[in-house]
Amino acid sequence: MDMEQNEIIISISKNFDEKFGSKPLVIRSPGRVNIIGEHTDYNDGFVLPAAIDKAIYVAIGKRDDNNILLYSKEFNEAHKVKITELKKCEKQWANYILGVTAQILKRGIAIPGFNIVLDGDVPVGAGLSSSAAIECATGFALNELFQLQISKEDIVKMAQKAEHEYAGVMVGIMDMFASVFGKKDHVLKLDCRSLQHEYVPLKLEGIKIVLLNTNVKHSLASSEYNTRRKQCEEGVELIKKHHPEVNSLRDVTMQMLHQYVAPKDEIIFKRCKYVVEENIRLLSGCEDLRNGDIKSLGKKMFQSHDGLSKEYEVSCKELDFLVDYVRDFPAVLGSRMMGGGFGGCTINLVKEEAIEDLITEITAAYKQKMNLDLTAYVAKTEDGTSVVS
Ligand code: GLA
């Protein structure tokens, strides 16, 4: 844990003490990157994320009554609700916490009131899963505070449900899984169907993960996300008529797509083709990583971006600009949009010695072309959710 993270822990504890007059339990839950495997999680496919050194912190303490008192340092906003009257509110950050609490109650587990102070350094809207990190931190915090004996895997599932029910986005399981199960210096190869996972060492040897944040989040993001999900399901339905054993795009081959989907619907075909190919890319990209062939992995990242942009159509002009800009840079091995799309970050594998110059150059170019400020981070991998004080 670095200096900056220690400072957050000290300041959130102090803040909690000032507000509620006691020492809190502090939980850290990280944001995530994803090397390759985008929009595959809700299609029963594979993903390759890692937890990073940017995290959400939840300071939590018990109350004697049945009130929930929440405070977000970032938004300088508070929210109060009785646990017996739990419902969605207009503050999105609070909904992530309330959504997880609702999942606990839904399981028939009775808990008393509690206080929470929320802080962190995961940029909101950057596609680094700050919302999943809030949900996982909350689930972990309530589990620890009230000794609920909920397994890590169930915390992940409850966090995902919270996002469905309190934020209205039908997200897959990748973000929560990465936040809870991440491991320093490793990526997580997760089979989203069985939830079996293995840790693959992230040996980049002189190459670093550079995140370039477009600083835009187009409003289409959540509605289009849900639409993509439906389009994939429609593709599966078309195939299922001929192959009843097919339950998701995980079971689908390119041949099936050509035979049963292409003649019926061009758009659905494009969407499904991207997903089927992305799973193949991920599996061989994982082998590249094991073999230390970052060049080959990087090529697949560019292909992944092209699929996301042209076939899955979840990119935007800002993301495309950033990826196209680095395409011919010898020091950039791979680049692609990351996460749901329509804004947020690109993930880039860049030779260490070239990072500074690249950031200076692309920041100026982005400003000139888009009249927007670019933010760059060099991301390090970190462990998943834990109690930090
Ligand atoms: C968002 C969702 C994830 C995943 C990605 C796309 O981050 O929360 O579940 O679907 O988009 O890969």
Side-chain angles (χ1 to χ4, degrees):
M1 201 148 310
D2 59 25
M3 278 268 288
E4 207 181 313
Q5 305 203 22
N6 270 328
E7 274 167 29
I8 299 179
I9 297 168
I10 294 167
S11 100
I12 199 173
S13 304
K14 187 162 161 262
N15 220 268
F16 188 95
D17 198 2
E18 282 161 9
K19 279 193 186 310
F20 303 116
S22 62
K23 290 260 167 290
L25 186 71
V26 183
I27 312 297
R28 170 190 182 277
S29 202
R32 62 104 188 88
V33 291
N34 185 26
I35 305 289
I36 197 163
E38 219 62 87
H39 287 274
T40 43
D41 60 353
Y42 54 84
N43 286 305
D44 274 356
F46 293 92
V47 288
L48 201 62
I52 57 169
D53 58 341
K54 294 204 172 286
I56 291 293
Y57 296 80
V58 158
I60 193 167
K62 287 182 186 167
R63 294 183 62 85
D64 299 330
D65 55 19
N66 66 355
N67 286 318
I68 300 178
L69 262 77
L70 308 176
Y71 174 70
S72 156
K73 285 188 73 176
E74 176 160 1
F75 294 100
N76 190 20
E77 278 178 354
H79 187 73
K80 181 177 174 186
V81 63
K82 278 199 172 31
I83 204 156
T84 44
E85 293 164 10
L86 203 67
K87 59 171 184 309
K88 269 192 250 181
C89 67
E90 70 295 345
K91 298 172 197 106
Q92 198 56 268
W93 63 267
N95 281 336
Y96 300 129
I97 301 175
L98 301 176
V100 171
T101 312
Q103 290 305 317
I104 291 182
L105 301 182
K106 261 191 167 180
R107 293 188 161 215
I109 304 172
I111 49 171
F114 55 87
N115 300 315
I116 278 187
V117 175
L118 182 68
D119 197 10
D121 59 2
V122 189
V124 173
L128 302 179
S129 298
S130 58
S131 57
I134 300 176
E135 289 150 356
C136 294
T138 303
F140 211 93
L142 290 169
N143 190 39
E144 284 292 318
L145 186 71
F146 298 120
Q147 293 293 304
L148 304 177
Q149 319 289 341
I150 303 172
S151 70
K152 278 187 175 183
E153 203 168 297
D154 278 355
I155 290 176
V156 166
K157 289 181 184 162
M158 289 159 82
Q160 184 192 16
K161 270 259 153 48
E163 185 99 17
H164 291 178
E165 291 172 15
Y166 270 63
V169 192
M170 296 307 288
V171 293
I173 205 157
M174 166 171 72
D175 304 346
M176 295 80 187
F177 210 95
S179 190
V180 169
F181 286 96
K183 186 170 161 186
K184 195 175 167 62
D185 297 327
H186 290 78
V187 291
L188 195 66
K189 181 185 172 198
L190 172 67
D191 177 341
C192 299
R193 176 150 68 183
S194 64
L195 294 189
Q196 266 180 6
H197 54 283
E198 54 184 298
Y199 294 103
V200 182
L202 185 64
K203 286 204 213 97
L204 291 176
E205 314 291 344
I207 293 160
K208 292 223 145 108
I209 297 174
V210 179
L211 302 174
L212 298 175
N213 188 353
T214 58
N215 284 315
V216 295
K217 184 165 170 70
H218 297 293
S219 56
L220 279 173
S222 42
S223 61
E224 287 298 308
Y225 187 95
N226 290 346
T227 306
R228 289 301 172 280
R229 209 175 157 140
K230 287 208 192 83
Q231 289 171 328
C232 292
E233 283 162 12
E234 276 177 59
V236 171
E237 282 313 308
L238 288 173
I239 296 168
K240 216 175 164 59
K241 287 185 190 141
H242 309 271
H243 288 276
E245 75 283 6
V246 163
N247 288 316
S248 65
L249 287 181
R250 171 76 175 272
D251 305 320
V252 165
T253 60
M254 282 306 293
Q255 201 211 329
M256 290 175 183
L257 288 179
H258 281 291
Q259 199 169 351
Y260 305 118
V261 183
K264 295 263 182 204
D265 193 318
E266 217 176 297
I267 294 201
I268 305 278
F269 172 75
K270 273 202 296 186
R271 306 290 191 250
C272 297
K273 171 177 180 283
Y274 159 76
V275 173
V276 169
E277 289 180 345
E278 181 74 348
N279 269 318
I280 298 170
R281 272 192 292 267
L282 182 143
L283 292 175
S284 78
C286 224
E287 287 317 302
D288 293 338
L289 198 55
R290 288 189 211 276
N291 298 333
D293 191 350
I294 308 303
K295 211 167 162 191
S296 175
L297 171 65
K299 273 196 193 138
K300 295 183 179 96
M301 290 170 71
F302 281 115
Q303 290 164 1
S304 164
H305 182 80
D306 295 340
L308 286 159
S309 177
K310 299 196 178 80
E311 296 175 328
Y312 215 65
E313 294 182 280
V314 291
S315 186
C316 59
K317 63 178 192 305
E318 294 85 356
L319 288 165
D320 287 344
F321 174 81
L322 293 180
V323 173
D324 288 338
Y325 196 88
V326 300
R327 242 177 239 276
D328 298 322
F329 272 54
V332 180
L333 286 95
S335 175
R336 60 177 203 85
M337 58 149 275
M338 190 177 71
F342 300 102
C345 288
T346 62
I347 176 168
N348 305 268
L349 299 182
V350 188
K351 288 190 183 151
E352 214 164 334
E353 66 276 9
I355 294 177
E356 236 184 85
D357 287 351
L358 171 74
I359 292 176
T360 311
E361 189 180 326
I362 199 165
T363 303
Y366 187 67
K367 180 81 188 177
Q368 199 191 13
K369 182 79 182 175
M370 301 288 163
N371 198 23
L372 285 166
D373 292 322
L374 185 77
T375 324
Y377 322 97
V378 177
K380 290 192 219 106
T381 58
E382 260 293 351
D383 287 338
T385 320
S386 67
V387 178
V388 286
S389 102

